[in-house]
Each structure stands twice: as C-alpha cells, then as structure tokens.
C-alpha cells in the first residue's frame, strides 16, 4: 500500500516537473522572440538614421521619396514596437503563470507539512495516552496480583486453621473416648 502511494506521488511530481519544464521552455522561446524583435528594431533604427542622412535631391537636399522612405522605416519601427509590447505582455503572462505555479506549489507543500505536523502531534498525544493507560493497567494488574496473593494466603491460612481445629476436635473426641 505504501509503495503504491509513493509511486503515485512520484508520478505526480514528474508530471508537475514536466509541466513546469514546458512553461520554462515557452518562457525561453518568448524571450528569444523578444530579443529577435529588439535586434530587428535596432537594425531599423540604423536604417532610419541612414535614410535621414540620405540626400538624393539636387544640391544635396532630401526628396519626397527620401522622406517617404524615412517615414516608412519609422512606421515599421512603430509596428515592430507594437509587436515587442505584445510579446512582452505574453512574456509577463508566462512569468505570472510561473509565479502562480510556484506559489501554489509552496502553499500545497506548506499545507502538507502542516498536515504532517498535525498528524505527528496527534500520534504523539495518542502515544502518551496509551503509555498512561498502560501504566494504569500495570498498576491495576499489580494491585490485582497483590489482592489475589493475599486472598490465596488468607484462604490457605483459614484452611490450615480449620484443619488444625478439626483435627483438634477429632483428637479431643478421641481423647474423650479413650478416657472413659
């Protein structure tokens, strides 16, 4: 029975560990996505900086196409930032899930520890009660033995006394018969 319980606890622990591992790998994957988006953002800023310095017009001025190109790159940076915020939100949700899972696990562990402590305390109290009861029974047994021994001695003494008295009565009657 104890083996079965231990086996079930081991299986449940392995399932929770694998679930925690998948959460951790999802968290790591999410971090990699965010890092890739941040690297892409840095590259886009480099492109934006270059497009601001690009002057393809006459006399070194910017043309409408240069400005449009710069604005398009800036728009892509903003869209990328929006994606980064979405991915960060997802990452924070993973983190919150991990924190919640750890807290739940800690609460369950504390609950089990408290239950074990209560069970141990209850067993210790029962053990003390049983020891006290055993001492009382031992005292009662020794008192009973003493009473029985006294009764046996009393009965033996009475039997001896009455046998002596009966012998004495028979001897006195026999003596009376011999005298007459």
């Amino acid at each position: 029975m104890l083996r079965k319980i231990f086996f079930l606890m081991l299986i449940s622990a392995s399932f929770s560990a694998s679930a925690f591992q998948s959460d951790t790998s999802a968290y790591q994957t999410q971090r990699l996505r965010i890092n890739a988006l941040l690297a892409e953002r840095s590259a886009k800023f480099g492109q934006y900086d270059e497009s601001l310095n690009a002057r393809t017009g006459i006399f070194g001025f910017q043309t409408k196409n240069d400005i449009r190109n710069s604005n398009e790159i800036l728009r892509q940076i903003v869209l990328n930032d929006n994606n980064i915020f979405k991915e960060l939100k997802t990452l924070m949700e993973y983190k919150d899930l991990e924190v919640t899972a750890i807290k739940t696990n800690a609460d369950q562990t504390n609950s089990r520890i408290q239950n074990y402590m209560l069970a141990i305390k209850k067993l210790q109290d029962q053990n003390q009660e049983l020891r006290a009861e055993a001492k009382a029974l031992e005292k009662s047994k020794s008192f009973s033995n003493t009473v029985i021994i006294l009764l046996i001695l009393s009965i033996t003494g009475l039997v001896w006394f009455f046998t002596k008295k009966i012998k004495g009565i028979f001897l006195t009657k026999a003596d009376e018969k011999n005298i007459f």
Side-chain angles (χ1 to χ4, degrees):
M1 179 69 180
L2 190 57
R3 277 188 177 168
K4 290 179 182 179
I5 292 172
F6 179 71
F7 184 69
L8 288 174
M9 288 174 47
L10 185 64
I11 288 174
S12 67
S14 66
F15 281 135
S16 65
S18 66
F20 182 73
Q21 184 65 25
S22 66
D23 286 346
T24 302
S25 65
Y27 180 78
Q28 293 300 328
T29 304
Q30 193 66 26
R31 285 187 57 192
L32 291 174
R33 282 185 196 159
I34 291 171
N35 287 337
L37 287 172
L38 288 172
E40 185 180 331
R41 184 179 191 273
S42 295
K44 295 262 186 210
F45 259 112
Q47 289 175 359
Y48 178 69
D49 197 30
E50 287 177 13
S51 71
L52 287 178
N53 292 332
R55 305 198 183 269
T56 58
I58 302 175
F59 304 117
F61 291 114
Q62 283 187 325
T63 62
K64 285 183 180 180
N65 285 337
D66 291 338
I67 294 172
R68 283 184 189 150
N69 189 24
S70 295
N71 287 341
E72 179 60 27
I73 293 172
L74 192 57
R75 188 180 73 75
Q76 288 175 358
I77 290 172
V78 170
L79 291 175
N80 192 16
D81 285 348
N82 289 340
N83 287 337
I84 289 172
F85 287 130
K86 287 177 189 175
E87 298 297 328
L88 279 174
K89 182 178 178 188
T90 305
L91 184 69
M92 293 306 291
E93 288 172 0
Y94 281 134
K95 192 66 169 174
D96 290 343
L97 285 174
E98 284 182 3
V99 168
T100 303
I102 290 171
K103 184 177 180 185
T104 302
N105 190 14
D107 290 344
Q108 288 174 349
T109 302
N110 285 338
S111 174
R112 278 187 298 200
I113 289 171
Q114 291 296 325
N115 289 338
Y116 288 143
M117 288 172 59
L118 288 174
I120 289 170
K121 176 69 173 144
K122 182 179 176 184
L123 290 173
Q124 286 174 341
D125 291 344
Q126 285 179 346
N127 191 15
Q128 286 180 346
E129 289 175 9
L130 289 174
R131 284 178 192 242
E133 192 174 311
K135 283 183 181 180
L137 286 174
E138 188 65 35
K139 286 181 182 179
S140 170
K141 186 177 177 183
S142 66
F143 179 73
S144 300
N145 288 342
T146 305
V147 169
I148 290 172
I149 291 172
L150 286 176
L151 284 175
I152 290 173
L153 288 176
S154 306
I155 291 172
T156 307
L158 286 173
V159 168
W160 180 76
F161 176 73
F162 283 123
T163 54
K164 283 287 192 181
K165 193 166 191 168
I166 290 175
K167 280 185 183 179
I169 292 175
F170 285 127
L171 285 178
T172 54
K173 285 188 179 181
D175 286 338
E176 287 177 9
K177 286 184 185 179
N178 286 337
I179 296 182
F180 294 113

